[in-house]
Amino acid sequence: MSRRRGTPDEEVSLFRQALQEAGVQRLFSDRADPGTPRRDDPQRLAARRDAAVSAATDAGHSRTSDGRVEPLRPSTPLDFAVPDLPYRTHSALKRGRIAWEAGLDLHGYTLEEARAQLEQFLHDARHQRQRCVLVVHGKAWTGMADYPVIKSHVNAWLREWPSVLAFCSATDADGGTGAAYVLLRRRGGE
């Protein structure tokens, strides 16, 4: 038994009629209605204002945090990519097939100096529209911890940087697990 199909206009008309009979009402606004009017109580407004002032004050200091940093072993390879980065691009970066255009060596810097140098380097690379850079973080232990401190912090800092699309340990020719290729976003963000 075959059903005869009507014209597209007839089908649309039947569909609309079925919706109307089911009690479906047409929406005239695309905004959600929470049902209760929004109250701007003074306490919440003061907290919001304080947060904005604090963010503006902190903006001049640093973009990266010193939150909990996972200690890494010297031989642990670094590997990170934003979720929507194409597999081929990430794979090419890991194999060293994307040529790096600038490099930064963080050997000999204190943690704070390394952070400042890395932030300035990434900022400059972004403004020069560089796509891939090399960061040599080293993998030596320092007297202040039993793990490579700069490497562990670079791993955390690069994940927080808005224009970093991916990073991974370099090939042996460029420093191996003591260096990282960093793939940068060329537009938007930051």
Side-chain angles (χ1 to χ4, degrees):
M1 179 198 274
S2 75
R3 280 181 77 185
R4 184 168 175 243
R5 296 188 70 184
T7 64
D9 290 337
E10 289 174 347
E11 289 180 5
V12 169
S13 178
L14 288 172
F15 179 72
R16 287 184 177 153
Q17 183 181 356
L19 289 175
Q20 189 175 21
E21 289 171 2
V24 176
Q25 295 179 354
R26 185 175 184 161
L27 293 177
F28 294 99
S29 173
D30 64 350
R31 296 204 173 244
D33 180 13
T36 57
R38 190 170 169 181
R39 289 178 289 171
D40 291 327
D41 62 87
Q43 214 172 19
R44 192 175 79 188
L45 288 174
R48 186 177 280 176
R49 190 172 37 254
D50 291 346
V53 168
S54 174
T57 305
D58 292 346
H61 296 298
S62 176
R63 289 189 81 142
T64 54
S65 71
D66 260 343
R68 191 176 104 60
V69 173
E70 177 185 346
L72 299 174
R73 297 178 51 122
S75 60
T76 302
L78 302 182
D79 190 16
F80 167 82
V82 295
D84 58 344
L85 184 73
Y87 173 79
R88 284 183 174 192
T89 304
H90 189 204
S91 180
L93 183 70
K94 289 169 75 168
R95 288 182 309 207
R97 299 270 167 88
I98 300 176
W100 51 276
E101 302 167 68
L104 171 69
D105 188 350
L106 296 175
H107 282 104
Y109 288 110
T110 66
L111 193 58
E112 280 307 310
E113 291 170 342
R115 181 206 319 242
Q117 289 292 324
L118 179 63
E119 288 180 353
Q120 187 62 50
F121 176 70
L122 292 174
H123 180 75
D124 293 346
R126 173 123 164 86
H127 285 287
Q128 293 170 10
R129 298 184 47 77
Q130 294 172 336
R131 177 80 169 142
C132 183
V133 295
L134 179 73
V135 176
V136 180
H137 46 69
K139 53 187 178 178
W141 292 340
T142 64
M144 51 193 237
D146 60 347
Y147 62 93
V149 175
I150 301 281
K151 176 179 181 172
S152 299
H153 278 78
V154 164
N155 181 45
W157 293 336
L158 289 175
R159 291 170 191 267
E160 296 174 357
W161 197 260
S163 62
V164 170
L165 293 174
F167 64 89
C168 62
S169 289
T171 60
D172 289 338
D174 287 327
T177 57
Y181 298 127
V182 182
L183 188 66
L184 299 172
R185 185 181 321 267
R186 282 199 174 156
R187 61 185 182 275
E190 199 181 13

